[in-house]
Amino acid sequence: MTNNLLGGLPPTELPDNAEAREALANDVDPFEVAARHPDYPGAWAELADRAFARGGVIDSYAFARTGYHRGLDQLRRAGWRGQGPVPWEHEPNRGFLRALHALARAAAAIGEDDEAERCRTFLKDSSPTAAEALGN
């Protein structure tokens, strides 16, 4: 974990899953990656993005929600207590942050406005850099 010299909450950094990350980078089907590594939020985020791009909003919502919850489980195991930074700059955090973004997007698309706003706020509070990079 990175030292926080400003006295705020320390950033939470998820552990790397090199096998899953490399599989996605090498164009292994994200369904296959999710089946082999169901706890890897990056696979679920990829599935959510692809579903949304093809117009499968409900599929995207379900994939994003799965990635979000898998990521929350990992954050808690890494010491996160419901608040504090989850830096985009730490690559293993990106799957969770992408899933959170995808959940906000899909929730908005199905009219779940309160959930969409909560997710957008959570993303901005967790990582302003992620919110900017993902277009939130």
Side-chain angles (χ1 to χ4, degrees), residues 45-107:
E46 185 65 25
L47 288 167
D49 287 346
R50 289 181 183 199
F52 196 85
R54 72 172 196 291
V57 176
I58 298 301
D59 291 343
S60 180
Y61 182 86
F63 292 138
R65 181 163 284 290
T66 300
Y68 166 76
H69 282 287
R70 292 298 189 139
L72 282 179
D73 291 344
Q74 289 182 11
L75 284 169
R76 289 179 184 117
R77 284 193 301 270
W80 183 78
R81 299 290 177 247
Q83 59 184 356
V86 180
W88 174 259
E89 295 80 4
H90 182 68
E91 199 281 332
N93 290 349
R94 289 185 181 186
F96 166 73
L97 295 166
R98 286 180 56 218
L100 179 57
H101 173 263
L103 183 56
R105 179 185 60 208

Side-chain angles (χ1 to χ4, degrees), residues 104-129:
R105 179 185 60 208
I110 63 172
E112 287 286 339
D113 298 332
D114 290 343
E115 180 178 28
E117 186 56 35
R118 279 192 306 275
C119 290
R120 285 191 291 267
T121 299
F122 185 9
L123 181 62
K124 288 175 191 170
D125 290 349
S126 297
S127 176
T129 303

